[in-house]
Amino acid sequence: MLLPFDFQKDPYLILDFSATNPDLTPDPDQPNGLDLTNTAAFSDYVFGKMRAAGVRVGIGGYNEHRVIYRRSEHFSSTEEPREIHLGIDFWAEAKTPVFAPMDGTIHSFQDNNNFGDYGPTIILEHRLEANEPLFSLYGHLTRSSLAGLVEGKAFKAGDKLGEIGPYPENGDWPPHLHFQLMTDMLGLKGDFPGVCSLKDRAKFLALCPNPNRLLNIAGLS
């Protein structure tokens, strides 16, 4: 269990943040459109969609070519902008508990405190049956989720890991959990790219397997 939702029984909404979503792209009749730099407006949009659908959680995003990262210089400071999402997002109310989906230990953690970044982040290290390393990242948490953590601290599957954070504490996003898997940390601690450029897409998808292989949520790729 990653969140207090049963994705086999509870309703959820798959959210699209690619250029195919007309709400996010310029329209001659609505040239201003949704102001993604306004986090309150962005949050109202996300949770308005969920309320209209009668759900408490929205999901999606793995390998999605997104337009929403144009809201932050954090994703466009390099020569080629980063727009390919490498994890799955779970949009839910702030303070929603987050649980370890499998046994692991704290690899690292930190508050990535930039506009559009992860905010408070926890990374777990797991060992598979073949003793191959696997890491899982939990971004956009509350700052209190980092309290009392030490590297090497063990968590059992189902243990509470933290909580989804509010904005601006969570990197200034509508409240959600970014969940990502990595097979190699590339020497990084407390952080790992959650978005890559088109040029680096194949490289990072090879390092970041689809989390839905673990979660098995119907309707996701």
Side-chain angles (χ1 to χ4, degrees):
M1 179 173 67
L2 178 66
L3 293 162
F5 308 110
D6 183 342
F7 291 103
Q8 310 307 314
K9 298 178 181 178
D10 297 336
Y12 53 85
L13 178 66
I14 296 178
L15 291 166
D16 174 13
F17 292 109
S18 72
T20 62
N21 183 342
D23 295 341
L24 306 179
T25 54
D27 185 308
D29 297 323
Q30 293 180 305
N32 295 325
L34 177 64
D35 181 6
L36 292 172
T37 64
N38 182 329
T39 306
F42 188 8
S43 189
D44 287 345
Y45 168 79
V46 170
F47 285 88
K49 288 281 189 183
M50 289 163 51
R51 282 192 299 273
V55 304
R56 295 188 299 137
V57 61
I59 56 175
Y62 179 72
N63 194 23
E64 186 173 64
H65 188 175
R66 290 182 161 181
V67 296
I68 55 175
Y69 299 116
R70 298 170 192 174
R71 70 192 294 262
S72 170
E73 292 182 2
H74 179 66
F75 299 99
S76 57
S77 58
T78 55
E79 191 171 302
E80 185 174 350
R82 296 186 292 134
E83 297 183 336
I84 306 300
H85 192 243
L86 300 172
I88 294 178
D89 284 334
F90 295 86
W91 308 83
E93 293 290 345
K95 303 294 186 178
T96 298
V98 177
F99 304 98
M102 51 188 164
D103 295 355
T105 58
I106 295 289
H107 171 271
S108 51
F109 58 94
Q110 69 182 27
D111 187 355
N112 295 289
N113 187 20
N114 303 299
F115 178 75
D117 206 336
Y118 284 133
T121 308
I122 296 173
I123 298 173
L124 294 181
E125 181 172 1
H126 315 274
R127 286 286 164 176
L128 305 180
E129 290 183 3
N131 206 33
E132 296 175 353
L134 181 69
F135 305 88
S136 57
L137 182 149
Y138 309 80
H140 311 296
L141 304 175
T142 58
R143 290 202 174 100
S144 61
S145 298
L146 306 185
L149 293 185
V150 292
E151 292 183 10
K153 181 178 179 178
F155 283 83
K156 290 289 189 182
D159 287 351
K160 183 178 177 182
L161 190 61
E163 297 177 336
I164 291 176
Y167 64 86
E169 182 176 327
N170 67 355
D172 224 318
W173 288 93
H176 72 288
L177 171 71
H178 173 95
F179 177 60
Q180 181 172 326
L181 300 178
M182 298 84 68
T183 56
D184 188 332
M185 282 299 297
L186 303 179
L188 299 173
K189 297 184 74 172
D191 193 11
F192 193 92
V195 185
C196 72
S197 67
L198 275 170
K199 176 173 62 74
D200 290 336
R201 187 181 213 165
K203 168 189 170 183
F204 276 99
L205 290 181
L207 288 172
C208 302
N210 188 344
N212 203 36
R213 296 178 186 174
L214 175 67
L215 303 172
N216 296 311
I217 299 173
L220 291 184
S221 58

Short mmCIF file of all heavy atoms in Angstrom, two decimals, residues 20-41:
data_model
loop_
_atom_site.label_atom_id
_atom_site.label_comp_id
_atom_site.label_asym_id
_atom_site.label_seq_id
_atom_site.Cartn_x
_atom_site.Cartn_y
_atom_site.Cartn_z
N THR A 20 -1.65 17.49 -25.34
CA THR A 20 -2.93 17.05 -25.89
C THR A 20 -4.10 17.53 -25.03
O THR A 20 -5.25 17.43 -25.46
CB THR A 20 -3.00 15.52 -26.02
OG1 THR A 20 -2.87 14.92 -24.72
CG2 THR A 20 -1.87 15.01 -26.92
N ASN A 21 -3.84 18.04 -23.83
CA ASN A 21 -4.89 18.56 -22.96
C ASN A 21 -5.19 20.00 -23.36
O ASN A 21 -4.35 20.89 -23.16
CB ASN A 21 -4.44 18.49 -21.50
CG ASN A 21 -5.51 18.95 -20.52
OD1 ASN A 21 -6.47 19.60 -20.89
ND2 ASN A 21 -5.33 18.59 -19.26
N PRO A 22 -6.35 20.28 -23.93
CA PRO A 22 -6.63 21.63 -24.42
C PRO A 22 -6.67 22.68 -23.32
O PRO A 22 -6.50 23.87 -23.59
CB PRO A 22 -8.01 21.48 -25.09
CG PRO A 22 -8.62 20.27 -24.46
CD PRO A 22 -7.47 19.35 -24.16
N ASP A 23 -6.87 22.25 -22.07
CA ASP A 23 -6.88 23.21 -20.96
C ASP A 23 -5.52 23.84 -20.73
O ASP A 23 -5.41 24.90 -20.10
CB ASP A 23 -7.32 22.53 -19.66
CG ASP A 23 -8.75 22.04 -19.70
OD1 ASP A 23 -9.52 22.53 -20.55
OD2 ASP A 23 -9.10 21.17 -18.88
N LEU A 24 -4.46 23.18 -21.21
CA LEU A 24 -3.10 23.61 -20.90
C LEU A 24 -2.40 24.26 -22.07
O LEU A 24 -1.25 24.69 -21.94
CB LEU A 24 -2.27 22.41 -20.42
CG LEU A 24 -2.85 21.60 -19.26
CD1 LEU A 24 -1.93 20.45 -18.92
CD2 LEU A 24 -3.07 22.49 -18.04
N THR A 25 -3.03 24.32 -23.21
CA THR A 25 -2.40 24.87 -24.41
C THR A 25 -3.11 26.14 -24.85
O THR A 25 -4.31 26.29 -24.64
CB THR A 25 -2.41 23.84 -25.55
OG1 THR A 25 -3.76 23.38 -25.75
CG2 THR A 25 -1.53 22.65 -25.21
N PRO A 26 -2.40 27.08 -25.47
CA PRO A 26 -3.02 28.33 -25.90
C PRO A 26 -4.19 28.09 -26.85
O PRO A 26 -4.15 27.20 -27.70
CB PRO A 26 -1.87 29.07 -26.62
CG PRO A 26 -0.63 28.45 -26.06
CD PRO A 26 -0.96 27.02 -25.77
N ASP A 27 -5.22 28.90 -26.69
CA ASP A 27 -6.42 28.81 -27.52
C ASP A 27 -6.75 30.22 -28.00
O ASP A 27 -6.78 31.15 -27.19
CB ASP A 27 -7.57 28.23 -26.68
CG ASP A 27 -8.82 27.99 -27.49
OD1 ASP A 27 -9.28 28.92 -28.19
OD2 ASP A 27 -9.37 26.87 -27.41
N PRO A 28 -7.03 30.41 -29.29
CA PRO A 28 -7.36 31.75 -29.78
C PRO A 28 -8.53 32.39 -29.03
O PRO A 28 -8.58 33.60 -28.87
CB PRO A 28 -7.71 31.50 -31.25
CG PRO A 28 -7.02 30.23 -31.60
CD PRO A 28 -7.02 29.41 -30.35
N ASP A 29 -9.47 31.57 -28.57
CA ASP A 29 -10.63 32.09 -27.86
C ASP A 29 -10.33 32.36 -26.39
O ASP A 29 -11.05 33.11 -25.72
CB ASP A 29 -11.80 31.11 -27.96
CG ASP A 29 -12.25 30.92 -29.40
OD1 ASP A 29 -12.23 31.92 -30.15
OD2 ASP A 29 -12.61 29.78 -29.76
N GLN A 30 -9.29 31.68 -25.87
CA GLN A 30 -8.87 31.89 -24.49
C GLN A 30 -7.35 32.02 -24.45
O GLN A 30 -6.65 31.11 -24.01
CB GLN A 30 -9.32 30.73 -23.59
CG GLN A 30 -10.83 30.62 -23.42
CD GLN A 30 -11.18 29.45 -22.53
OE1 GLN A 30 -10.81 28.31 -22.78
NE2 GLN A 30 -11.92 29.72 -21.47
N PRO A 31 -6.84 33.15 -24.93
CA PRO A 31 -5.38 33.28 -25.09
C PRO A 31 -4.61 33.20 -23.78
O PRO A 31 -3.44 32.84 -23.77
CB PRO A 31 -5.24 34.67 -25.73
CG PRO A 31 -6.50 35.40 -25.39
CD PRO A 31 -7.57 34.34 -25.35
N ASN A 32 -5.26 33.51 -22.68
CA ASN A 32 -4.56 33.46 -21.40
C ASN A 32 -4.53 32.04 -20.85
O ASN A 32 -3.52 31.58 -20.33
CB ASN A 32 -5.21 34.41 -20.40
CG ASN A 32 -5.08 35.86 -20.82
OD1 ASN A 32 -4.06 36.24 -21.39
ND2 ASN A 32 -6.10 36.65 -20.56
N GLY A 33 -5.64 31.31 -20.97
CA GLY A 33 -5.69 29.93 -20.52
C GLY A 33 -5.41 29.81 -19.03
O GLY A 33 -5.56 30.74 -18.26
N LEU A 34 -4.98 28.62 -18.63
CA LEU A 34 -4.67 28.36 -17.23
C LEU A 34 -3.27 28.87 -16.92
O LEU A 34 -2.30 28.51 -17.59
CB LEU A 34 -4.75 26.85 -16.96
CG LEU A 34 -4.39 26.38 -15.55
CD1 LEU A 34 -5.38 26.93 -14.52
CD2 LEU A 34 -4.36 24.86 -15.49
N ASP A 35 -3.15 29.71 -15.89
CA ASP A 35 -1.85 30.24 -15.48
C ASP A 35 -1.17 29.23 -14.56
O ASP A 35 -1.44 29.18 -13.36
CB ASP A 35 -2.03 31.59 -14.77
CG ASP A 35 -0.71 32.21 -14.34
OD1 ASP A 35 0.36 31.65 -14.69
OD2 ASP A 35 -0.74 33.23 -13.65
N LEU A 36 -0.29 28.42 -15.14
CA LEU A 36 0.36 27.36 -14.37
C LEU A 36 1.35 27.91 -13.35
O LEU A 36 1.75 27.20 -12.44
CB LEU A 36 1.06 26.39 -15.32
CG LEU A 36 0.14 25.54 -16.21
CD1 LEU A 36 0.95 24.78 -17.24
CD2 LEU A 36 -0.69 24.59 -15.38
N THR A 37 1.78 29.16 -13.50
CA THR A 37 2.70 29.74 -12.53
C THR A 37 1.98 30.15 -11.25
O THR A 37 2.61 30.40 -10.23
CB THR A 37 3.44 30.96 -13.11
OG1 THR A 37 2.48 31.99 -13.40
CG2 THR A 37 4.19 30.58 -14.38
N ASN A 38 0.65 30.22 -11.31
CA ASN A 38 -0.17 30.54 -10.15
C ASN A 38 -0.58 29.21 -9.51
O ASN A 38 -1.49 28.54 -9.97
CB ASN A 38 -1.40 31.35 -10.59
CG ASN A 38 -2.29 31.76 -9.42
OD1 ASN A 38 -2.39 31.06 -8.42
ND2 ASN A 38 -2.95 32.89 -9.56
N THR A 39 0.12 28.84 -8.44
CA THR A 39 -0.10 27.52 -7.85
C THR A 39 -1.52 27.35 -7.32
O THR A 39 -2.09 26.26 -7.41
CB THR A 39 0.94 27.25 -6.74
OG1 THR A 39 2.25 27.45 -7.28
CG2 THR A 39 0.84 25.82 -6.24
N ALA A 40 -2.10 28.41 -6.79
CA ALA A 40 -3.47 28.31 -6.28
C ALA A 40 -4.44 28.01 -7.43
O ALA A 40 -5.32 27.15 -7.30
CB ALA A 40 -3.87 29.60 -5.57
N ALA A 41 -4.26 28.69 -8.57
CA ALA A 41 -5.12 28.44 -9.72
C ALA A 41 -4.90 27.04 -10.28
O ALA A 41 -5.85 26.34 -10.67
CB ALA A 41 -4.86 29.49 -10.80
#
